[in-house]
Structures are given as structure tokens and as C-alpha cells.
Amino acid sequence: MPSRVYLDWNATTPLRPEARAAMLAAWDLIGNPSSVHSEGREARRLVEDARAALAAAVGGLPRNVIFTSAGTEANALALSPGLRGPSGGPVERLLVSAVEHASVLAGGRFAADKVGLIRVTRSGVIDLGDLESQLRDGPPTLVSIMAANNETGALQPVAEAARVVHAAGGLLHVDAIQAFGKIAFNINEVGADLATFSAHKIGGPKGVGALVVTEGLTGLEPVLRGGGQELSRRAGTENVGGIAGFGGAVKTALQTLPEDTERMATLRNRLENGIRLIAGATVFSDEVERLPNTVLFTAPGLKAETAVIGFDLEGVAVSSGSACSSGKVQPSHVLSAMGYDPAVAQGAVRLSLGWSTEPEDINRALEAWRKLGNTLLRA
């Protein structure tokens, strides 16, 4: 029986050996990182090493890195009314793109009537004109735009958005969770005031995230209150093992990023070309710049849940472009925001690659799709 092929890297990634080694070393320590004795200081050193690694990787300062339990918590922490930069008043409302992750669409600590949506184009890219229009003559605003969409892989023009937001006296939060580790990302280069990250998207452990803020940002209110951990910005004893694994994954991901990006793009392009040959398949957002590892496609009459099961039976792990809630399949909010009919949105299937994806994995996926296309879509 051939081994299985994993093509769901946007959902989560395998644990990198370097992250595993860092976690095992951390688990041998007994100290609480808030304790001042030798055991505590040893644990603290691992946390601070990881903090420095992430800061260096994204252009921030270690003192401005806040570790959290996940990317979702990091997003909730970032979306705080009252944030203010070195100049300008505290933000009073929130604008998010219509294709954001659910943890951003939830609005953080903003009241529902203080949250607005930014339109996107048919390609899934934010409408900068709509953003500029909504910011015009409004109160100070926090804008949240993801660097790369988790479903389509479409890259957002965050640097251009930052200029629009800052010209209007607002602040920009960038959810970089899906982009980090796949493409270069630097908070200074894109003009982000806050950015969020997640360990398990880059080969680290699940259950660890981080918020990185720029120097001079104030008004960040903790989601969790209690102790003074993370410079009083996130209470709770740090997950030393998970944070150490995050740091190990960051260091390795950045070392191999250029070659990984190029190799994944080559494999992704071959995968897309093969998919298009069967049953008139369409690839979403293929006319704009995307992550090098992501393919979201559909075909006339395709049902995503059936296709995902079919791929699974062929030994290939992929995911649906639709979200499940209480057992009911809902159209992808991303494709709906892009203007696609619900029937099309319910047929979207996502394949995403990673650093260990091999050419043979692409062959297996295409062979599975040929079988499924000829079976599921047979007239």
C-alpha cells in the first residue's frame, strides 16, 4: 500500500525536526519562566530566544512580540478599540476585508455596529477604492487585511493599503498567518502596525501564536488578565515547550525560504496545469499574485465534500473550500465575497503544498483527480 500524500498544508503543517528537538529540550526543564531562580531563568531563556527569532524574522523588536495560545487569540488581541500609534487619536471602529479568516471577521473587542467590510474584486483582492472611500471623513480606524488568503492563496496589496490607512490617520493590522514561511514578510516593508502569526503553519506545534506590534503603539488591552506575563499584555504562564518549538520552526523556515518558495511554485504550476485538463476545471484567483503553494479549483457539477472523500480514498489529503457548521455545508464566504454563485462555491477544493512535497506527490494527486473527474462528473 503506497504511503499517503498530504496536500493540506494551509490547514496545518508537519512538525519540523528542529521544532521537535527544541520542544523536547524545553520539556526537560522544570522552571517557571517567571521565576527568578536558575531553573526559571533557564526556561525564560528559551522563551526569549524564540521571541528574538520571530522578531528578527519579521522586522520587529523582541519586546514587541507577544506570545498567545494560537493565531485566533493573537487576532482577537490585535483587534482592540482604543489602539493608537505615535500620532493620532485612538481607533474607534474596525474595517476588515470580506475574505478574512473567521477570527478577524468576528471583530475582536469591537462592537458589531463598529465593524465594516471592505469589498474585494472577482479575483479576491481588496478594492482599495472602497477602502479609501470608507476611511474618508470617518473616525480613526483600525483596518485588518490578511497578507494572503487561506483559501485562494491570493496576496493582498497590504503595502498600498497601509499608505491609504495611514494617510487617513488609521492603523493597519495584517494577519500574516498564511503568508509567513511561504513568502518573505516584513512588518516595516508592508507598513503594518500589528501583525499576527501562528506556529503550526510553518512547521511548529499547534496551540502557539504571536502578535507583533510596532514601536510606539499603545492602547493594547489584554484579552486575558491576571499575572504580568508578556509585559502584562497576555496573562498566563507561557507555553515554554510550544514557544521553543515556534522559535525552532521560525529559524528553519527562514533558512530554506527562497528555495522552498521556488520549488513549491514549480510543483504548484504543474499541478494546476494537470487539474485544468480534466472536466473543464477552473482555478480561482489564478490571474493575480498568489502564494506559491495553493490551488483552489472547481469543475462544473463538482461537490466538494464528495471530492474530498474521493481524494481521501485514493490516499490524498486535501480540503474543501467550504466551511462546515453543525453538519451543514455552507458556501465559502471567500468565494461568495468574490461574487461566485453558492453552487460554485460549494464545489471548491483546495490543494496546498509544503516544503517536503515531492513531484511524485503531484503525480498521485493528478492521478486521483483523473479518476474522480471521470467518475464524479460523468454525464
Side-chain angles (χ1 to χ4, degrees), residues 123-365:
S123 300
V125 176
I126 63 164
D127 183 336
L128 289 172
D130 184 50
L131 171 62
E132 190 168 12
S133 175
Q134 293 199 58
L135 289 173
R136 189 177 299 122
D137 301 324
T141 302
L142 175 64
V143 175
S144 183
I145 298 171
M146 56 181 21
N149 187 261
N150 50 303
E151 292 189 23
T152 65
L155 303 185
Q156 299 296 340
V158 289
E160 292 88 339
R163 287 191 283 271
V164 172
V165 172
H166 293 153
L171 298 173
L172 178 68
H173 163 248
V174 177
D175 178 345
I177 290 170
Q178 207 53 250
F180 185 53
K182 300 183 183 81
I183 60 174
F185 180 85
N186 183 289
I187 59 173
N188 300 310
E189 292 176 0
V190 302
D193 298 290
L194 312 90
T196 41
F197 306 89
S198 181
H200 77 104
K201 302 295 188 181
I202 63 166
K206 301 173 184 67
V208 185
L211 170 64
V212 179
V213 303
T214 53
E215 191 74 357
L217 187 83
T218 60
L220 188 69
E221 290 293 330
V223 175
L224 299 178
R225 297 179 183 276
Q229 294 89 352
E230 299 300 293
L231 293 179
S232 297
R233 295 171 298 189
R234 196 272 185 184
T237 301
E238 291 92 345
N239 174 4
V240 178
I243 291 170
F246 196 174
V250 167
K251 294 173 186 177
T252 306
L254 269 291
Q255 287 173 354
T256 61
L257 181 60
E259 51 265 41
D260 285 345
T261 297
E262 182 177 358
R263 190 175 58 81
M264 286 190 296
T266 299
L267 293 176
R268 191 273 312 272
N269 291 341
R270 186 159 72 84
L271 177 62
E272 281 188 1
N273 291 336
I275 286 173
R276 286 191 178 95
L277 295 177
I278 307 297
T282 298
V283 176
F284 296 100
S285 297
D286 61 340
E287 67 276 24
V288 297
E289 194 174 3
R290 287 174 295 152
L291 291 174
N293 78 315
T294 304
V295 180
L296 182 71
F297 80 96
T298 191
L302 185 67
K303 296 297 183 183
E305 60 268 36
T306 305
V308 170
I309 293 171
F311 271 107
D312 191 47
L313 292 174
E314 292 294 327
V316 183
V318 303
S319 65
S320 168
S322 300
C324 291
S325 176
S326 302
K328 182 178 180 181
V329 176
Q330 302 289 344
S332 160
H333 76 278
V334 171
L335 294 179
S336 295
M338 291 164 61
Y340 285 95
D341 184 89
V344 174
Q346 286 184 324
V349 176
R350 185 186 69 189
L351 290 79
S352 48
L353 290 56
W355 61 82
S356 65
T357 303
E358 298 290 344
E360 178 57 28
D361 297 332
I362 304 303
N363 296 339
R364 289 270 305 279

